[in-house]
Structures are given as structure tokens and as C-alpha cells.
Amino acid sequence: MRVLVISDVHGRIDILRRILMKEQKAEAVFFLGDGENDIDRLRFDFPEKCFYKVRGNCDFGSPSELTGAITLEGYKIFYTHGHMHYVKFGDKDIKETARNCFADIVLYGHTHKVHNEYDNGLYIMNPGSLTNYEPSYGVIELLDKGILTNIVYLSPEKRW
């Protein structure tokens, strides 16, 4: 199963739409906050995809949860925006939380900085932001033989 990971859209719905169109094989989309209205505006244009989302610190008035956890293809995924786990000061808290809920993968945003790591049985991904100088998003392949993670940077002609 191909999984798309997006965070911190902050109004760049044009880039978000291009990513969703480009990643046609992605069956699941994780949105990690800050731009929830943007993802809500587009999710109905892509009914073939299953959307999972949490609210970020800039999603004012959102009724969405701060965290989520789901098992896909036998792998447990813990996802959150990250601000409640103080990710701007390191990833110790979010790793501990993910391990406490027996996650295989933890997804977070908030920092706008790409982070793609494997640490002692736990895959950790922050896909960056669509508003960065180098806009980026994440792709995860959930396979029978394991997990593959990748960060995709948008080429200059696709940025604006």
C-alpha cells in the first residue's frame, strides 16, 4: 500500500492539488495539520483515497483530534501535528509516545523541517511543509517484507 504524508499546507492548495493528482497510486493520505481547511476542500475531489487527519496549532476552531492511530497492512501508525509533543525541541517525547502505543511508524509535522529516520524498530517521518523554500511531502510503501519511506522535494517548476 502506498501512503502519502502531508503537513503544514498553510494555504498552498494549488501545490496540494498537484501532489494529490501526481500520487494517484496512494491509497491513504495522512494530513498532519496546519491547513485543515485546505485538505477538507480537496478530499472530495479524490474519493478513491482514504484521508486521515489531525489538527495543527494553526487550525483554529477545528473539531479534529490532536492525535490518531491506525493499523494499515499490519503496521501501526501513530500520527499527530507535533506541537503537543514539543517537536521543535527534539523528538524524544514523540518517540516515547509512539513506542508506548506500540507503533511501527510515527508521523508528525509542525517544524517545517524534513525528518526521515529509523530508530530501533520505529520509523519516524516529518514530511516538511508545502510552504518551505523547498516544498516537500512524504511517501511510505507498506509492503509484506517491510516499510519503505521517502521524502519527495518538488522541483522548481512545480513549486509556484
Side-chain angles (χ1 to χ4, degrees):
M1 170 185 268
R2 188 173 181 92
V3 174
L4 182 59
V5 185
I6 299 169
S7 188
D8 298 279
V9 175
H10 295 290
R12 292 311 310 254
I13 196 166
D14 55 328
I15 297 175
L16 179 58
R17 180 182 299 281
R18 282 192 295 244
I19 291 168
L20 290 168
M21 289 172 47
K22 177 185 174 199
E23 295 291 345
Q24 293 180 13
K25 292 182 182 179
E27 297 174 54
V29 178
F30 283 83
F31 176 70
L32 306 176
D34 283 0
E36 185 177 12
N37 290 337
D38 302 324
I39 200 78
D40 285 345
R41 286 174 54 195
L42 290 181
R43 68 188 301 171
F44 298 107
D45 293 341
F46 299 89
E48 73 283 4
K49 297 183 186 313
C50 192
F51 287 81
Y52 304 93
K53 67 178 183 168
V54 290
R55 75 176 186 255
N57 62 302
C58 292
D59 292 319
F60 305 110
S62 168
S64 295
E65 297 293 328
L66 289 168
T67 64
I70 190 164
T71 300
L72 298 176
E73 302 293 317
Y75 300 106
K76 187 167 186 182
I77 302 170
F78 173 77
Y79 57 103
T80 186
H81 183 61
H83 64 294
M84 300 301 289
H85 295 276
Y86 314 106
V87 295
K88 287 191 175 182
F89 303 103
D91 59 8
K92 181 180 178 186
D93 185 74
I94 199 165
K95 285 180 181 180
E96 183 178 325
T97 302
R99 285 191 168 102
N100 285 341
C101 74
F102 304 102
D104 300 294
I105 302 168
V106 59
L107 306 174
Y108 73 96
H110 187 55
T111 67
H112 294 210
K113 295 179 183 175
V114 168
H115 183 185
N116 192 17
E117 173 189 8
Y118 177 79
D119 180 21
N120 197 26
L122 182 64
Y123 291 84
I124 304 110
M125 178 185 278
N126 180 331
S129 170
L130 298 188
T131 59
N132 284 351
Y133 177 72
E134 292 184 303
S136 57
Y137 63 94
V139 174
I140 301 173
E141 295 285 351
L142 303 175
L143 307 168
D144 292 339
K145 295 183 180 184
I147 299 167
L148 297 174
T149 63
N150 190 35
I151 299 294
V152 179
Y153 291 93
L154 298 179
S155 60
E157 65 273 4
K158 303 246 178 178
R159 290 181 191 171
W160 314 114

